[in-house]
Every structure is written in C-alpha cells, then in structure tokens.
Amino acid sequence: DGDVLDVFGGAFMPLPPKKYAELFRAKIEKHEVNVYLVNTGWTGGAYGVGKRMDIVATRNIVAAILDGSIEKAPMSAPDRHFQLQFPTELGSIDPTVLDPSKAWADNGAFEAMCSKLSAMYAKNWTKYVKDPFMAALSNYGPGGAALL
C-alpha cells in the first residue's frame, strides 16, 4: 500500500497508518499516559540556517518528562498551525529551545515554514479521512480545532 510511505518512517511500517494509530490510541487509553513530542532534530531555521538540537537540553527535557516535573510547568496555548503546546518554562532549559518560534531569527521564515508543513500535512491527511476512526483524529492536527 503506497500510503505507508506518506508517513514519517513509513518504509519501516508494513501495516497501514490506521493500524498504528489504533495501537497508539489503545496504549494511551490503557495506560492513561500523556504523550510528548520532543524535537531531537533541527531547530532555528531550515537546513543550512538552523542547527541540531542541543543534546544537553534534549536530555533535560526527557528527564523532566520522566520525573513528572513537566506536568507542573506552565504551558503555552495550542499553536495555530499544529495545535501543539509546549512548556514556557522548564527548569534551567533555555526558553528559546522550548518555543520553536523563538529559536528562529527570521519569524517570517518560521511562519512560512509552519504554514507550508501544515498545508502538506492537511493535504496528505485527506487520504485517510474516509475512515471514521481516522476522520475523528483530524480534529487534533493541522486544520482541526480540538484544542484551539
């Protein structure tokens, strides 16, 4: 099924994306856990402009997740592109690492990249919304309004 390659890591996922979404949701519900997306890749601009995420900051973020201190951290409002929230303060971690918009020197370039990526995501997601389970998830990503 060609759809698999449309998701990150698709070459390593032999099942349709829906199956992984169902498994992920079941595990979240069974174990009553929060889910965190930690940027371990690139920040501060497109390739050639930005830089790799600082490994010490990444480790400190993961430590805050594991020890539960992230639960007490003040959180941002959901962003308008992806409905993601992030801690605005988290121990000694530089706030520019926590807020991706502050990591980019060119805010216009940041907004343009967010708009481009969210539009690409929304376009790709249209392949999955015929299925009621996947359609229900549409409200939680780009173009949705579950958290806004």
Side-chain angles (χ1 to χ4, degrees):
D1 184 321
D3 292 339
V4 175
L5 296 177
D6 292 333
V7 297
F8 181 78
F12 305 102
M13 299 177 187
L15 301 174
K18 177 185 176 183
K19 184 64 178 171
Y20 296 104
E22 290 171 335
L23 289 168
F24 190 48
R25 183 176 183 176
K27 291 204 178 279
I28 291 168
E29 290 174 352
K30 178 181 178 183
H31 299 288
E32 298 179 357
V33 296
N34 293 321
V35 177
Y36 298 94
L37 177 64
V38 179
N39 181 0
T40 60
W42 206 257
T43 188
Y47 183 77
V49 177
K51 62 182 181 179
R52 294 280 304 165
M53 287 296 292
D54 177 68
I55 190 68
V56 173
T58 299
R59 288 179 179 152
N60 288 336
I61 292 167
V62 171
I65 292 167
L66 294 174
D67 71 18
S69 60
I70 197 169
E71 295 293 323
K72 298 175 188 94
M75 300 298 277
S76 71
D79 79 89
R80 67 185 184 91
H81 297 287
F82 302 100
Q83 297 194 62
L84 298 174
Q85 293 178 279
F86 54 85
T88 56
E89 299 172 18
L90 193 59
S92 63
I93 301 168
D94 181 350
T96 62
V97 171
L98 301 172
D99 181 348
S101 70
K102 292 181 180 174
W104 287 52
D106 183 344
N107 194 266
F110 173 79
E111 287 295 322
M113 183 61 74
C114 287
S115 294
K116 177 183 175 184
L117 290 174
S118 65
M120 289 169 62
Y121 177 92
K123 179 181 177 192
N124 187 55
W125 191 255
T126 62
K127 293 184 268 189
Y128 306 107
V129 296
K130 294 176 187 129
D131 178 277
F133 175 82
M134 298 298 273
L137 297 179
S138 298
N139 215 17
Y140 295 94
L147 303 177
L148 299 177

